[in-house]
Amino acid sequence: MNETVSIPTRTVEAGDDHAFPPATTTVHDRAELDLLLRSALALEHATIPPYLCAMFSLKDGKNREVERIIRSVVMQEMLHLALIGNIMNSIGTTPRFDDPDLVPAYPGRLPGGVMPDLEVSLGACSIERVRQVFMGIELPEDPLAPAGQRALKDISGYNPQLDEHGNIQNLNEEALDAPRKFFALADYDATTVGGFYQHIAQVLTDLDEHDENLFSGDPRRQVSWPHAPGRLYRVTNLQTALWAILEIIDQGEGHAQDPTVGPLPGRAS
């Protein structure tokens, strides 16, 4: 790989480490949910430039396997953006990429209070960058509670099949409800990517119990991607929203049952 180089970037001012504030411990209304989802959009968006910068630093015709891996990560992050966008559209919230707060600052912290000790910067591809930045973002997390481990193992036995529009075709009601049970039992650290998305899943579940019209967004705004590097779910209710969140966690972090799940497993060296 090439040596790390310094790239001029916008410096984060004191107290401005995050595009959006960290998630609160209790969510009472839709405004809080909208903020969480905007934070998720910013989080996924903020991970793409570091990967692209590293990929574009590789010399043409060299390190092709490294380029392939990084490109696959970028495609997955784009899938995550689309999944968050579908969740937002399903509840009638518009994903806005022209929001100035969505533009990340480097070097800086990730949005939403995720992994607050990790500083993300731009630079050429190197072993050091893979270890210190990329593996910090992608490091698999373990839902610590034993009940959560069992629920996750149960989910791993399902294999959702989607039609060209992103609708789940092959799961019964019990299987469709499996992510809800998992998120109720899992015990991610609150500052990890898994903890951040578990919180969103719990908020969606809580609000859905009290608002029968939560998922009343225009279904025509759902994005489909038949050949996506993963599953882009058509989100129309709580069940499909939670499957979408589970897809992000599985791709982004991997999980304890299979540490190789995710784009940059811990074997990189």
Side-chain angles (χ1 to χ4, degrees), residues 110-244:
L110 290 171
V114 173
M115 292 177 287
D117 295 331
L118 177 67
E119 182 175 85
V120 179
S121 60
L122 304 181
C125 192
S126 67
I127 293 294
E128 180 183 37
R129 182 160 298 279
V130 170
R131 287 175 173 164
Q132 295 185 359
V133 179
F134 298 162
M135 287 179 62
I137 295 173
E138 308 293 345
L139 188 64
E141 289 294 337
D142 185 350
L144 302 176
Q149 290 282 345
R150 291 192 293 271
L152 185 58
K153 185 176 181 179
D154 291 341
I155 290 177
S156 67
Y158 300 124
N159 183 28
Q161 301 295 315
L162 309 185
D163 64 17
E164 62 180 0
H165 302 295
N167 298 300
I168 300 175
Q169 297 294 292
N170 64 321
L171 300 185
N172 59 28
E173 193 65 23
E174 180 181 358
L176 287 171
D177 203 41
R180 182 187 63 80
K181 297 178 180 178
F182 165 68
F183 284 120
L185 296 170
D187 188 24
Y188 288 107
D189 186 297
T191 63
T192 65
V193 172
F196 175 74
Y197 278 111
Q198 181 183 6
H199 181 59
I200 293 178
Q202 291 170 336
V203 170
L204 282 167
T205 300
D206 179 66
L207 291 183
D208 183 63
E209 291 177 356
H210 298 90
D211 182 3
E212 63 181 12
N213 296 315
L214 179 63
F215 292 92
S216 58
D218 187 348
R220 294 173 299 180
R221 302 192 62 150
Q222 291 293 303
V223 175
S224 61
W225 187 0
H227 303 292
R231 299 180 181 92
L232 178 52
Y233 292 96
R234 179 181 174 87
V235 179
T236 57
N237 55 25
L238 178 64
Q239 291 174 327
T240 48
L242 297 187
W243 272 104

Side-chain angles (χ1 to χ4, degrees), residues 50 73 80 95 103 110 139 147 151 195 256:
V73 176
H80 301 169
V103 180
L110 290 171
L139 188 64

